[in-house]
Amino acid sequence: MDAKDILGLPKTPLPITQEKKSQPKKDSQRKPDGISREVYALTGGLAPLMPSIDTSQLKRRPPSDEKITWQWLPFTNSARKDNLQLYHWVRVVNGVPPTGDYSFAKYNKSVDIVRYTDEEYEKYLTDPTWTKEETDQLFDLCERFDLRFIIIADRFSSSRTVEELKDRYYSVSRAILLARAPSSGDVSGHPLVKEPYNVSQEIDRKRALSMVLSQTKQQERKDAEVLAEAKRITESRMAARGVEESTLHVASNAGPEMAETATNVDGTVSPSSNAQLASVAVAPSTSVMAENASTLASLRMLRVYLRTYALEQMVQAASSTAGLRTIKRVEQILQDLGVNLKPRVPTKAVCAEHLELRKEILTLLNLQKQLQYKEAEGSSFRDGSYTEMPGTPKRSHRDQDGTFVPDSMSFGGERAGRRDQKRKGPGRLSEAPSSPAHKRPRKLKASDL
Amino acid sequence: MSKPEDTEKKILNKKLKDVEISIPIVYGNISFWLGKKANEYQSHKWTVYVRGATNEDLGVVIKRAVFQLHSSFNNPTRVVESPPFELSEAGWGEFEIAITLYFHSDVCDKPLNLYHHLKLYPEDESGPMSTKKPVVVESYDEIVFPEPSEGFFARVQSHPAVTLPRLPAGFTLPPPVPVEDASKRKRGDTKDHPLSQWFMNFSEADELLQLAAARQQSW
């Protein structure tokens, strides 16, 4: 607003009436006391938490007993070598001009460069890649420009890189220091001696920096993605390694336990369920394995836990990708099958079976959903008319919620017919169900005996 | 401490990986209506307990059990130092009891919490109340130690209350170290417990059959 003021530009498209309106508003909002409005606006228009300026001091006038005049007086600068005399305004108090050096002279600092003698050069400092003239010139420039190597490199007669110049300068200075020191122990603390200049490292470092600086935003994003992906892969790899050990052990542990229960029961139940356990242990995708692995790992951390708690955690992990509706459907199916939602006798074997059953139901529901989507797609392509497309998927959804699921869950003879119908559609479902389906009916009959 | 004791402790404390020890337990309550002897503050006499699923002595693993009762009871924190881990009281209200199990030092240094809702009144409210037939609510569960120490394993490997896997062949365990003076302890199992006639039966066979049948059906 004020910049436009200065430039004389109109503030807004609106006429002066707008100005008048905003002005009184600003006046009423004004909080500062002793600072001008513009200065206050620099802080963002709000009072700082801790006022850095004591505003009451600002408007204080100098004590009236002192007589102040301003005089145009000459001065010299001790930092100059030429005794140049210039003039400036000086605040004179009661006729006494201020004493002391020019106040800015103390800022004239320079670097202490080590200068070598010709003898020293011959003895310690010769180098195949550097002539004495070049080295002398380098040191002159260093002294003149206070080790500002960029400028020195610019002014240097032959084209040498900044790193080369630095290298020559630092190694010469270091050599001189070491040579002049009465013993090496005296100077071992000196930074030049402690940390020598490493040319190759510097070149690499600068190259890396410039690469990072010149990376575009896209590249940055890509790098971040790759790093995150790598992290995920290493984590899942570690988890998978842990899971391999534990699932192998679960399968082998389940083996002898299954055998024990088989002797109590009819001996027909165990082999199939054991085979199922083993195949399921091998089959699952990496994400499910990772979920299981992390749950198992966290359980192991506990040192002691209840079997029911462990089952809860495993069920949660397995259902993590499923929505609430799917989970409710799983529970409904369990109830329809006559299975307790929470096992009444949660032994290790029972919990394992329960978990596997839940996983199988989830898989079944997922496959059913996929089948429906594919069928809907297929039918819409067959019909070829766009008007029908939005209608068909919705219809199949309604079917799914209403009649479809319970029908597929019905037991007995009509199942076989329904199953065949389903399999005739896409060929995809034929893999998994076929083999256990062959085994199962036989087993069921045997246990009925 | 002398050196051989130190190394012995280290050997005993070494954890067995991929070996799981589980203790099947049953916990719950049995409650009797007091009938004529009931008054408005004490209508039922009940016992809350944690027992081995096959009524074996849990003292081999559990050092003490703490039953946290409703704050209206005197000294609501009841500590039971020896098996059978149970607590009897009289009252009129149903509430949640928190049972904290503390294990022997070689078993686990972290306690485990169980929660049981005390049930006094029968589900079927229409029937006549009997002082002879109690209300029984029990839950089966298993305490799992995923990485037991070798010492613990060695100590319990032949105890009937504990379920152990078979160790890999050639695995040798250190000699077991007793945790307490066996001769001083009185009998801790619940096989002949006065209330044992009401204990429920938990057979995993039925549930396994049920689950297996279900898994076959779903295809």
Side-chain angles (χ1 to χ4, degrees):
Chain A
M1 260 265 276
D2 299 307
K4 284 191 177 167
D5 245 341
I6 297 168
L7 292 173
L9 294 172
K11 288 180 201 126
T12 54
L14 296 167
I16 309 172
T17 48
Q18 181 72 1
E19 228 178 88
K20 287 226 175 99
K21 261 191 244 172
S22 57
Q23 279 251 355
K25 195 174 88 170
K26 250 213 176 120
D27 277 337
S28 62
Q29 271 188 349
R30 174 169 63 99
K31 288 224 172 94
D33 239 45
I35 329 178
S36 70
R37 177 173 60 90
E38 284 82 2
V39 173
Y40 199 70
L42 287 173
T43 62
L46 295 163
L49 288 172
M50 283 285 297
S52 49
I53 310 167
D54 187 7
T55 53
S56 57
Q57 296 280 330
L58 284 175
K59 284 271 170 91
R60 204 180 48 171
R61 305 273 179 232
S64 45
D65 54 332
E66 287 182 352
K67 190 165 153 230
I68 308 287
T69 53
W70 283 89
Q71 294 178 15
W72 182 252
L73 295 173
F75 71 97
T76 52
N77 185 349
S78 61
R80 292 190 72 93
K81 300 186 193 70
D82 53 4
N83 294 322
L84 173 67
Q85 204 187 57
L86 297 171
Y87 286 79
H88 65 187
W89 285 106
V90 176
R91 185 171 179 269
V92 177
V93 184
N94 290 340
V96 180
T99 52
D101 195 9
Y102 182 53
S103 58
F104 295 105
K106 60 182 182 272
Y107 298 115
N108 189 38
K109 299 249 190 259
S110 60
V111 183
D112 295 321
I113 310 270
V114 186
R115 294 321 290 255
Y116 49 82
T117 63
D118 292 340
E119 279 173 36
E120 284 175 324
Y121 188 88
E122 294 305 316
K123 265 166 87 175
Y124 310 109
L125 308 174
T126 52
D127 185 287
T129 52
W130 281 81
T131 64
K132 187 163 185 304
E133 290 81 28
E134 276 194 310
T135 316
D136 288 346
Q137 189 194 15
L138 171 64
F139 270 74
D140 283 336
L141 286 172
C142 283
E143 197 174 321
R144 196 167 142 213
F145 291 114
D146 293 327
L147 289 184
R148 291 183 172 91
F149 281 98
I150 310 285
I151 304 174
I152 295 168
D154 199 44
R155 306 265 167 147
F156 207 70
S157 48
S158 54
S159 61
R160 293 257 192 191
T161 64
V162 171
E163 288 82 30
E164 282 177 26
L165 297 172
K166 278 192 181 178
D167 184 30
R168 183 64 176 150
Y169 169 76
Y170 287 121
S171 43
V172 163
S173 309
R174 191 165 184 269
I176 298 260
L177 262 179
L178 284 170
R180 289 187 188 167
S183 79
S184 60
D186 287 344
V187 280
S188 57
H190 196 282
L192 270 175
V193 174
K194 255 201 321 194
E195 282 142 53
Y197 185 73
N198 187 338
V199 191
S200 48
Q201 202 179 57
E202 282 294 295
I203 295 175
D204 285 333
R205 181 182 67 90
K206 287 186 183 172
R207 195 180 340 122
L209 266 179
S210 71
M211 264 172 51
V212 173
L213 184 63
S214 55
Q215 253 189 354
T216 61
K217 264 215 176 117
Q218 259 193 349
Q219 274 177 312
E220 264 181 52
R221 242 182 290 138
K222 264 191 223 160
D223 282 346
E225 274 177 41
V226 168
L227 282 170
E229 191 64 49
K231 205 173 163 206
R232 245 180 286 143
I233 291 174
T234 44
E235 276 180 11
S236 69
R237 209 174 283 161
M238 286 205 302
R241 218 174 292 143
V243 142
E244 267 169 29
E245 295 169 10
S246 61
T247 49
L248 280 175
H249 223 92
V250 162
S252 59
N253 262 353
E257 284 194 24
M258 286 289 174
E260 282 170 18
T261 55
T263 54
N264 296 338
V265 187
D266 274 325
T268 50
V269 179
S270 32
S272 64
S273 40
N274 196 13
Q276 194 68 13
L277 248 185
S279 63
V280 170
V282 171
S285 65
T286 43
S287 67
V288 175
M289 251 170 80
E291 289 279 3
N292 277 348
S294 62
T295 337
L296 281 171
S298 64
L299 284 173
R300 221 173 294 149
M301 287 288 122
L302 286 177
R303 284 182 279 171
V304 62
Y305 55 84
L306 284 172
R307 186 76 67 193
T308 47
Y309 173 78
L311 179 62
E312 259 174 60
Q313 297 293 306
M314 299 293 286
V315 166
Q316 249 184 42
S319 326
S320 59
T321 51
L324 189 58
R325 211 171 359 136
T326 321
I327 296 176
K328 287 274 185 265
R329 222 177 288 154
V330 170
E331 297 186 343
Q332 182 62 47
I333 294 175
L334 283 171
Q335 281 181 338
D336 293 341
L337 289 170
V339 169
N340 301 319
L341 281 180
K342 290 198 172 167
R344 191 172 157 265
V345 189
T347 64
K348 187 170 175 144
V350 166
C351 289
E353 287 283 310
H354 186 101
L355 186 65
E356 289 316 309
L357 177 60
R358 277 195 185 239
K359 284 186 187 170
E360 285 175 358
I361 296 176
L362 269 173
T363 315
L364 175 70
L365 290 177
N366 281 334
L367 289 174
Q368 280 175 354
K369 221 189 296 182
Q370 281 180 33
L371 169 65
Q372 258 154 24
Y373 289 158
K374 291 299 176 189
E375 275 185 343
E377 273 180 33
S379 64
S380 68
F381 283 144
R382 251 179 278 127
D383 294 339
S385 69
Y386 283 95
T387 51
E388 279 197 36
M389 237 165 55
T392 10
K394 280 195 198 141
R395 225 187 301 135
S396 55
H397 251 289
R398 242 176 280 136
D399 277 348
Q400 187 181 35
D401 282 351
T403 57
F404 194 83
V405 170
D407 278 352
S408 68
M409 286 299 108
S410 61
F411 315 135
E414 41 176 14
R415 291 220 70 246
R418 192 72 57 125
R419 221 189 305 132
D420 286 341
Q421 234 179 20
K422 235 202 315 195
R423 223 173 288 148
K424 273 183 197 152
R428 225 169 295 135
L429 287 177
S430 53
E431 295 310 307
S434 51
S435 31
H438 285 314
K439 273 195 217 156
R440 286 302 158 65
R442 239 186 292 130
K443 288 285 151 83
L444 188 56
K445 282 182 200 146
S447 64
D448 284 346
L449 293 173
Chain B
M1 228 194 274
S2 58
K3 277 201 184 148
E5 283 179 29
D6 272 349
T7 47
E8 220 178 83
K9 249 203 176 160
K10 273 202 187 132
I11 295 170
L12 290 177
N13 284 338
K14 197 170 119 201
K15 302 266 180 237
L16 287 166
K17 286 198 183 285
D18 301 330
V19 171
E20 183 186 276
I21 293 187
S22 58
I23 321 278
I25 56 167
V26 172
Y27 61 96
N29 75 270
I30 295 180
S31 125
F32 287 92
W33 180 49
L34 288 173
K36 286 188 290 180
K37 300 192 196 138
N39 62 47
E40 70 177 286
Y41 294 113
Q42 299 194 333
S43 58
H44 288 73
K45 179 167 141 48
W46 50 265
T47 308
V48 63
Y49 55 86
V50 180
R51 63 176 175 89
T54 46
N55 292 313
E56 298 295 344
D57 183 4
L58 288 179
V60 65
V61 174
I62 302 178
K63 191 160 83 160
R64 91 173 84 92
V66 177
F67 296 86
Q68 186 70 33
L69 305 179
H70 191 268
S71 47
S72 58
F73 280 86
N74 268 335
N75 303 323
T77 312
R78 306 284 172 93
V79 183
V80 180
E81 296 281 0
S82 65
F85 298 105
E86 64 182 40
L87 174 72
S88 297
E89 259 291 353
W92 59 268
E94 299 182 335
F95 53 89
E96 184 176 84
I97 302 178
I99 310 171
T100 311
L101 301 176
Y102 292 86
F103 305 103
H104 290 297
S105 48
D106 67 336
V107 174
C108 181
D109 49 3
K110 255 190 6 157
L112 183 64
N113 288 321
L114 305 167
Y115 300 94
H116 174 71
H117 189 83
L118 180 70
K119 195 145 169 53
L120 306 178
Y121 303 95
E123 282 293 332
D124 179 19
E125 290 175 16
S126 57
M129 297 250 271
S130 148
T131 54
K132 297 273 174 11
K133 194 151 177 288
V135 168
V136 182
V137 176
E138 285 189 327
S139 311
Y140 174 99
D141 212 324
E142 296 186 345
I143 306 177
V144 182
F145 300 97
E147 276 184 0
S149 69
E150 287 191 3
F152 171 34
F153 193 100
R155 183 165 68 78
V156 303
Q157 55 180 325
S158 43
H159 197 283
V162 178
T163 310
L164 305 165
R166 254 174 260 136
L167 284 181
F171 202 96
T172 45
L173 287 170
V177 175
V179 180
E180 41 180 6
D181 192 354
S183 59
K184 284 197 186 152
R185 259 205 315 113
K186 57 178 173 30
R187 200 166 144 195
D189 67 65
T190 45
K191 293 200 176 131
D192 292 332
H193 194 276
L195 293 172
S196 60
Q197 61 177 302
W198 306 113
F199 290 165
M200 290 161 74
N201 239 330
F202 291 92
S203 146
E204 71 165 349
D206 296 330
E207 194 133 29
L208 273 179
L209 263 179
Q210 187 191 63
L211 283 167
R215 285 178 75 186
Q216 293 174 8
Q217 296 283 16
S218 57
W219 287 114

